């Protein structure tokens, strides 16, 4: 399971602390290196997330594990939501996100918040739509984090998750393993200040319960109308679920 994979093998601190430290370390290079590693496809996949969210016409949106704010900014630009919250445990990532939000002149609609997905400081039934882009596999306790999301969503509210997955068909499956296990960690070692970060990101992606396995976890937690949509033959997957 993903919660057994930590960024720093020889460090005895918990996963949450390690993930926070890792993202603080790589915050300055994260956007540029992400574009290179995903071959730019991650932007298109985020656009697909925004399209799903926009269909529900939400007024209040929360983007958990918002990082430097790419997705929450896109949602502000492409929906009529009056309030958007970008939440992350990494202050380093958030500081870069705040600069991007200001450049887009969206400070009046987007609030960038330091917070923990497993202990959300928001009322029950208070959010219309919640998104998580490449963040659920970093939850220390996956079911607890998803339960918190369910708690704060309004009845009828939606959760949309974009996460890495493993293609099932030849030759995409073989190509994925080669790329994620060899090329991504090598790029990380060459260009990242944190030499272990991108190795962790690849390992955590490979072990994360994707597809039907993640659908079943969402249902177990209490979500309804669970569905998933493969992106680029399954290199990533978008999941959509509703609070009944």
């Amino acid at each position: 399971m993903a919660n057994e994979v930590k960024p720093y093998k020889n460090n005895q601190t918990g996963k949450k602390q390690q993930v926070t430290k890792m993202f603080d370390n790589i915050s300055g290079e994260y956007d540029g290196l992400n574009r290179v590693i995903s071959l730019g496809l991650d932007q298109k996949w985020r656009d697909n997330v925004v399209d799903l969210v926009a269909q529900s016409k939400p007024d209040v949106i929360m983007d958990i594990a918002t990082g430097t704010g790419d997705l929450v900014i896109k949602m502000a630009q492409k929906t009529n939501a009056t309030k958007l919250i970008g939440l992350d445990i990494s202050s380093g990532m958030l500081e870069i996100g705040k600069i991007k939000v200001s450049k887009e002149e969206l400070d009046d609609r987007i609030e960038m918040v330091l917070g923990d997905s497993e202990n959300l400081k928001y009322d029950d039934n208070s959010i219309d739509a919640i998104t998580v882009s490449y963040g659920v596999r970093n939850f220390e306790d996956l079911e607890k984090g998803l339960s918190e999301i369910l708690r704060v969503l309004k009845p009828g509210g939606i959760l949309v998750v974009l996460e890495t997955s493993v293609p099932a068909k030849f030759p995409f499956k073989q190509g994925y393993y080669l790329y994620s296990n060899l090329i991504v960690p090598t790029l990380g070692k060459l260009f990242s200040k944190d030499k272990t970060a991108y190795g962790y990101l690849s390992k955590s992606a490979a072990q994360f319960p994707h597809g039907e396995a993640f659908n079943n976890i969402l249902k177990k937690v209490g979500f309804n109308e669970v569905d998933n949509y493969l992106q680029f033959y399954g290199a990533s997957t978008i999941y959509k679920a509703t609070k009944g």
Side-chain angles (χ1 to χ4, degrees):
M1 291 290 289
N3 62 4
E4 296 174 340
V5 183
K6 299 179 182 180
Y8 309 109
K9 293 180 181 178
N10 298 321
N11 190 313
Q12 298 305 309
T13 58
K15 179 176 179 178
K16 192 177 299 182
Q17 292 170 285
Q18 291 192 26
V19 167
T20 303
K21 176 184 176 183
M22 180 191 74
F23 280 113
D24 283 343
N25 288 345
I26 66 175
S27 58
E29 71 222 18
Y30 183 77
D31 284 344
L33 200 48
N34 232 28
R35 296 297 95 79
V36 172
I37 286 173
S38 72
L39 307 176
L41 292 171
D42 64 307
Q43 293 293 77
K44 171 59 179 173
W45 300 336
R46 285 186 175 88
D47 286 338
N48 293 341
V49 169
V50 175
D51 289 342
L52 282 173
V53 172
Q55 291 173 17
S56 68
K57 296 180 171 58
D59 185 50
V60 181
I61 301 174
M62 178 185 290
D63 181 39
I64 291 175
T66 196
T68 63
D70 276 2
L71 183 56
V72 74
I73 289 170
K74 281 179 179 286
M75 290 191 291
Q77 293 169 334
K78 296 184 179 182
T79 74
N80 293 319
T82 60
K83 180 179 180 180
L84 300 98
I85 302 156
L87 183 140
D88 204 283
I89 60 172
S90 167
S91 58
M93 298 287 269
L94 283 172
E95 288 308 309
I96 293 171
K98 288 176 183 177
I99 293 169
K100 291 162 69 173
V101 168
S102 292
K103 283 184 178 179
E104 297 294 332
E105 299 181 349
L106 291 167
D107 296 279
D108 59 330
R109 293 173 63 205
I110 297 177
E111 181 184 10
M112 301 295 275
V113 177
L114 186 67
D116 181 358
S117 60
E118 295 165 37
N119 186 24
L120 295 172
K121 305 298 184 183
Y122 294 88
D123 293 336
D124 296 0
N125 309 313
S126 59
I127 311 292
D128 296 298
I130 293 179
T131 57
V132 191
S133 173
Y134 299 113
V136 289
R137 73 179 188 273
N138 296 321
F139 288 7
E140 189 166 58
D141 186 326
L142 178 59
E143 290 188 15
K144 183 178 180 182
L146 293 174
S147 295
E148 271 291 271
I149 289 170
L150 186 68
R151 178 184 66 79
V152 301
L153 274 174
K154 294 177 182 178
I158 63 166
L159 166 65
V160 183
V161 173
L162 170 62
E163 190 53 86
T164 53
S165 51
V166 179
K169 295 182 179 180
F170 176 86
F172 304 105
K173 182 176 181 178
Q174 289 72 15
Y176 172 87
Y177 278 118
L178 175 65
Y179 191 72
S180 63
N181 291 327
L182 180 63
I183 296 175
V184 170
T186 300
L187 287 171
K189 288 179 181 178
L190 287 173
F191 299 108
S192 176
K193 294 177 183 177
D194 190 321
K195 303 305 179 186
T196 65
Y198 287 86
Y200 157 76
L201 291 171
S202 293
K203 290 177 183 177
S204 62
Q207 294 198 30
F208 186 77
H210 59 275
E212 195 62 31
F214 187 60
N215 287 349
N216 289 336
I217 294 172
L218 289 167
K219 293 173 186 176
K220 177 184 176 183
V221 167
F223 283 97
N224 300 320
E225 301 175 30
V226 178
D227 207 348
N228 64 273
Y229 313 90
L230 298 183
Q231 309 295 299
F232 195 68
Y233 306 100
S236 285
T237 300
I238 294 174
Y239 304 87
K240 182 183 177 185
T242 303
K243 178 174 179 175

